[in-house]
Amino acid sequence: MLSELQKNELHGLIVLFIGNDVSVSRSRPHFNSATVEVVERMIEANIDCNQTMKELVSELISGGRVRSRGWLKHALGGARAMIERAELRGYGCQVSAKAKWKTAIIASTY
């Protein structure tokens, strides 16, 4: 059984990863240990998504597998270092997480 504080904190994490969603918010009073497990898997999947996106962008910026004749590298300047220093929180990963995990989060409350 989760306390009200734990349910609110769990909801806050969910919002960070999939955005504010009315149906998830309505399920908040029913969050339980199964919901915690689903959200844990969602966070792990999102970390993997972000890491994959960082690697892809780094490869593209460095000219890795794409032959860019040099112009892309010069245009982007220090973008690779910036991406490596920061966590890439792309909209694509958020949309993917919402599409995949929203139903599982709500279903865990039944």
Side-chain angles (χ1 to χ4, degrees), residues 32-101:
N32 55 50
S33 58
T35 311
V36 172
E37 290 176 22
V38 169
V39 172
E40 188 174 292
R41 290 195 324 262
M42 176 191 69
I43 291 170
E44 290 166 357
N46 194 274
I47 289 168
D48 290 344
C49 178
N50 282 326
Q51 186 60 38
T52 301
M53 293 301 292
K54 282 172 57 176
E55 289 170 6
L56 172 65
V57 172
S58 291
E59 282 293 316
L60 289 173
I61 290 170
S62 70
R65 296 181 185 162
V66 179
R67 304 253 183 233
S68 64
R69 295 183 306 217
W71 68 268
L72 182 60
K73 229 178 186 177
H74 295 291
L76 297 173
R80 180 179 182 164
M82 185 174 68
I83 290 167
E84 289 171 346
R85 281 194 312 269
E87 192 66 28
L88 182 67
R89 288 180 171 78
Y91 184 67
C93 291
Q94 184 182 31
V95 170
S96 173
K98 185 171 186 171
K100 183 172 182 177
W101 295 101

Side-chain angles (χ1 to χ4, degrees), residues 1-15 24-36 39 105 108-109:
M1 183 102 160
L2 300 178
S3 70
E4 284 304 309
L5 179 61
Q6 288 173 320
K7 290 176 184 179
N8 290 335
E9 289 177 356
L10 184 60
H11 183 260
L13 282 174
I14 293 168
V15 168
V24 171
S25 295
R26 286 186 192 140
S27 299
R28 180 177 23 196
H30 308 289
F31 285 174
N32 55 50
S33 58
T35 311
V36 172
V39 172
I105 291 168
S108 74
T109 63

